[in-house]
Amino acid sequence: MIPRRRMMVLAGAAGLMAPVGAAWANGTPFFFPNARGDANSPNALVYTGNIKDTSGRYVDDVQVLVIATDLGMTIPVKNDAPGHFRTPDIHGWIENLGGKVNPEKIRIDINKPGYLLARPVAIPRRTTGVHPVDILLKPAGEAKK
């Protein structure tokens, strides 16, 4: 009886370790339009950074929008709870629309009630790689300096 029980436990553990495929929603991989969405491709273009206010505190619950203005495409990204964000593979999203990545036509907008951009967001002029893009916000009531 003991060997049979051991076999059942091993079979159950093997079932738990079976690889799980990507989650799909409406025929598209959830969150990412293709397998490159996780930035493992050498052609991936990902922006990652921090969102802080002018006093140096991290700002949470900011909606970050990556916009390819030449294609009319907007990719929403929500930041996590210590004010960090990471975009999906922008290069992959643009290629799926049949476009070419033009960093001159990419901008990052933010939306956080009570806050405005303290300075323009500087987008690296690269078409591939993982690039830091930090965002500085100021309270909307703060006087212009």
Side-chain angles (χ1 to χ4, degrees):
M1 196 56 92
I2 300 288
R4 181 174 178 186
R5 185 175 190 175
R6 190 173 295 161
M7 288 286 283
M8 290 174 58
V9 169
L10 289 175
L16 291 174
M17 295 187 325
V20 177
W24 291 76
N26 298 328
T28 309
F30 191 62
F31 289 123
F32 303 110
N34 63 28
R36 289 191 354 210
D38 62 3
N40 286 331
S41 167
N43 291 329
L45 175 61
V46 173
Y47 302 119
T48 182
N50 299 304
I51 303 172
K52 293 183 179 181
D53 65 14
T54 51
S55 63
R57 290 184 304 252
Y58 287 99
V59 180
D60 297 331
D61 298 320
V62 177
Q63 183 184 33
V64 179
L65 300 173
V66 179
I67 302 167
T69 58
D70 57 339
L71 300 172
M73 181 176 72
T74 300
I75 303 167
V77 180
K78 187 114 171 163
N79 76 314
D80 68 3
H84 307 294
F85 74 94
R86 180 182 176 93
T87 69
D89 175 14
I90 304 303
H91 195 262
W93 281 71
I94 290 172
E95 278 190 343
N96 275 353
L97 287 178
K100 296 251 183 223
V101 176
N102 181 353
E104 306 264 331
K105 301 291 183 177
I106 294 176
R107 75 172 201 256
I108 295 179
D109 289 350
I110 62 95
N111 183 17
K112 171 71 175 174
Y115 286 89
L116 301 170
L117 280 174
R119 66 174 181 239
V121 179
I123 305 292
R125 299 301 178 209
R126 307 281 192 280
T127 58
T128 62
V130 177
H131 302 284
V133 176
D134 291 328
I135 297 173
L136 184 63
L137 302 177
K138 65 181 176 182
E142 188 175 291
K144 290 185 178 181
K145 294 182 180 180

